[in-house]
Amino acid sequence: MTAGAAEAVDDLVLPPLAATVLFVLACLAGYSYRRVWKAEGPRWQLWAYGTAAAAALLILAFVPMSTAA
């Protein structure tokens, strides 16, 4: 990795508001996934909601939150 790319990765942080929005979106996507799953709905919707929930939770898990006010 080049020095510029390393600095860009080091500067990648989530502000608390963005983390909160991501968490709410992950919850809504998970709820929609469960609703479609129980209704035995279309598979493409399962993939769409599941992927959205997983992506949001992975971002929350691996991108640090900013603590400076």
Side-chain angles (χ1 to χ4, degrees), residues 7-24:
E7 287 179 17
V9 171
D10 288 340
D11 293 338
L12 183 65
V13 292
L14 279 175
L17 181 61
T20 303
V21 169
L22 270 176
F23 181 75
V24 169

Side-chain angles (χ1 to χ4, degrees), residues 30-42:
Y31 176 78
S32 296
Y33 176 88
R34 185 177 181 278
R35 183 179 44 81
V36 171
W37 174 62
K38 286 192 58 108
E40 296 182 10

Side-chain angles (χ1 to χ4, degrees), residues 14-66:
L14 279 175
L17 181 61
T20 303
V21 169
L22 270 176
F23 181 75
V24 169
L25 288 176
C27 290
L28 292 174
Y31 176 78
S32 296
Y33 176 88
R34 185 177 181 278
R35 183 179 44 81
V36 171
W37 174 62
K38 286 192 58 108
E40 296 182 10
R43 280 226 193 259
W44 70 267
Q45 285 184 351
L46 289 174
W47 277 100
Y49 291 131
T51 303
L57 291 173
L58 284 171
I59 290 170
L60 287 171
F62 293 111
V63 177
M65 259 184 30
S66 65

